[in-house]
Amino acid sequence: MAGIKDTLAALLPTERGVYTGKDKPNQYCTFTRIMGGAAIRADDVQQVGKETYRITLYSKSDFEEILQKIIDTLEAAGYYINSQDGENYETDTGYWQVPITIQFIKEQ
């Protein structure tokens, strides 16, 4: 499975945590791990682990098309979409923020 950054970077600029580029693009993503480690054990050995990430899409224009591409791309890469939370408009920056929570299962 490709990493989250590589998966999203195929669509738009993406960075972990905070976007650090000097000139921010019209649309970009950030991602952070919000929960990790829930595991299933068998014979005292971890068999499966689960990681949860929050991806935030930032857009200065209509974002519906790129949002759907992000969802489709993540699902095709094996990630599970937990939620698409409510959008928020930042008046000071002019960006829409759209949070997406995803999970992936790590098998040992």
Side-chain angles (χ1 to χ4, degrees):
M1 172 184 293
I4 295 169
K5 183 172 183 175
D6 292 337
T7 300
L8 293 172
L11 299 173
L12 68 170
T14 301
E15 289 195 33
R16 184 178 206 127
V18 176
Y19 191 84
T20 59
K22 186 174 182 178
D23 295 319
K24 291 185 179 175
N26 196 33
Q27 293 181 322
Y28 66 93
C29 280
T30 62
F31 67 97
T32 57
R33 185 170 62 152
I34 58 174
M35 188 183 319
I40 297 173
R41 295 186 170 277
D43 297 325
D44 292 327
V45 176
Q46 181 174 321
Q47 300 296 317
V48 176
K50 180 170 55 172
E51 299 285 331
T52 304
Y53 285 83
R54 169 64 53 93
I55 296 168
T56 304
L57 167 63
Y58 292 87
S59 180
K60 286 196 171 190
S61 58
D62 184 17
F63 54 81
E64 295 296 336
E65 184 176 329
I66 191 65
L67 177 61
Q68 191 58 53
K69 284 182 184 178
I70 290 169
I71 298 301
D72 293 344
T73 300
L74 288 167
E75 287 178 338
Y79 294 96
Y80 299 96
I81 309 304
N82 280 2
S83 66
Q84 295 176 51
D85 297 334
E87 61 201 45
N88 181 48
Y89 184 73
E90 295 180 332
T91 56
D92 57 331
T93 65
Y95 281 100
W96 285 95
Q97 289 183 350
V98 185
I100 307 160
T101 305
I102 66 167
Q103 283 187 334
F104 71 92
I105 308 299
K106 297 187 305 185
E107 294 189 30
Q108 302 298 321

